[in-house]
Amino acid sequence: MPIHPTAIINPQTRLGEQVSIGPYVIIGADVVLEDEVSVGAHCVIEGPTRIGRGTRLFPFVSVGQDPQDLKYAGERTELIIGERNVIREFATLHRGTDAGGGVTRIGNDNLLMAQCHVAHDCIVGNHIVMANGASLAGHVEVQDHATLGAYVGVHQFCRVGAYAFIGAYSVVVKDALPYARSVGNHARCYGPNSIGLRRAGFPDADLRAIEQAFRLLLNSKLNTSQAVAAITEKLGDHPRIRRLLDFIASSQRGVIK
């Protein structure tokens, strides 16, 4: 188990098999590194934090620090990072708060590029790409297979739907629709994320249904409630469209259109 002699590791740290820890790493109490985790030089990991199997932290990553929330009063909260994530240089991921359930959670197989930030109480799904400098404020949910471009900022309590694409430098202040391409400050929706959906292997029938739903939602003279009713009538039995409709129905902040 290669652990550099300059690394400072709290005795309470639990290390799995084949863990690699680089020079000048600092690991605090209540940290669990599962099998095959790799921690690059100068990383700082505070607990309670669990990092899943095969996850790689590149140099100068800081994870598990106290949340940047003025209401935080030192209560025990945690950060849970899943398996096979790649977390690049200078990224920061913070623990949760009591008000948000006490946990910040990262799923599996995500790529968080350099200087990304995931704030307290965020829920990040699986197979997500956050490009350089993308930032999530507190209590944000990012669903599976979403892509956030460079320096995207997502406002607290917003959601980013599954397979959504958010263009670089966009500011997201409402919920970003699943399957959609949203760009701008403030972000607007420009229809389906067609290239991303094709790359993800969506069959032509699904793509046609999604395109039809977005035509009703964005390009008709219907308001959102009327568009949802029309989509439900025409396409409501389709499972992909049902997910879109459920996302809209459950929105607390409104959706990007």
Side-chain angles (χ1 to χ4, degrees):
M1 183 170 61
I3 299 177
H4 197 275
T6 61
I8 300 173
I9 303 174
N10 189 284
Q12 295 182 20
T13 299
R14 292 164 50 194
L15 303 179
E17 297 181 359
Q18 296 180 294
V19 169
S20 173
I21 299 176
Y24 304 106
V25 168
I26 299 174
I27 302 179
D30 295 322
V31 172
V32 178
L33 305 183
E34 296 183 358
D35 297 350
E36 301 173 15
V37 168
S38 172
V39 182
H42 297 277
C43 289
V44 178
I45 306 173
E46 296 292 345
T49 293
R50 175 180 290 272
I51 300 178
R53 183 187 185 105
T55 288
R56 300 170 64 197
L57 277 61
F58 281 71
F60 297 98
V61 164
S62 177
V63 301
Q65 300 290 343
D66 289 353
Q68 297 178 127
D69 187 323
L70 294 175
K71 299 186 297 297
Y72 179 71
E75 61 269 20
R76 180 184 174 88
T77 59
E78 60 185 327
L79 168 67
I80 299 176
I81 300 173
E83 299 183 349
R84 299 177 302 279
N85 293 288
V86 175
I87 303 173
R88 295 302 304 248
E89 297 84 352
F90 294 98
T92 53
L93 290 75
H94 291 169
R95 303 194 323 276
T97 66
D98 270 357
V103 180
T104 302
R105 191 180 302 274
I106 313 294
N108 304 321
D109 301 297
N110 299 300
L111 170 58
L112 277 59
M113 297 187 193
Q115 299 178 320
C116 284
H117 176 61
V118 178
H120 57 88
D121 306 297
C122 287
I123 305 297
V124 176
N126 307 307
H127 302 284
I128 287 159
V129 175
M130 293 177 60
N132 298 68
S135 295
L136 309 180
H139 310 277
V140 166
E141 177 188 356
V142 182
Q143 297 180 356
D144 296 350
H145 298 278
T147 298
L148 279 63
Y151 299 101
V152 164
V154 183
H155 192 279
Q156 61 188 12
F157 295 101
C158 286
R159 298 179 299 159
V160 177
Y163 295 95
F165 175 85
I166 312 297
Y169 297 93
S170 295
V171 178
V172 175
V173 298
K174 295 183 178 181
D175 291 348
L177 290 166
Y179 319 125
R181 179 168 47 93
S182 301
V183 184
N185 181 7
H186 294 156
R188 293 180 57 193
C189 183
Y190 290 89
N193 175 24
S194 300
I195 293 174
L197 299 180
R198 288 190 184 278
R199 287 176 176 171
F202 277 47
D204 288 342
D206 286 7
L207 293 173
R208 287 193 296 269
I210 290 169
E211 288 168 0
Q212 185 177 357
F214 274 94
R215 280 196 298 271
L216 289 167
L217 191 61
L218 303 177
N219 299 330
S220 68
K221 296 182 180 181
L222 305 176
N223 63 31
T224 300
S225 297
Q226 292 167 335
V228 165
I231 294 167
T232 301
E233 181 181 354
K234 295 176 182 295
L235 301 163
D237 292 336
H238 193 291
R240 300 282 190 191
I241 304 306
R242 174 48 52 194
R243 183 168 189 172
L244 173 64
L245 294 171
D246 289 346
F247 185 92
I248 295 171
S250 61
S251 177
Q252 299 297 309
R253 295 186 58 85
V255 299
I256 294 173
K257 292 183 63 178

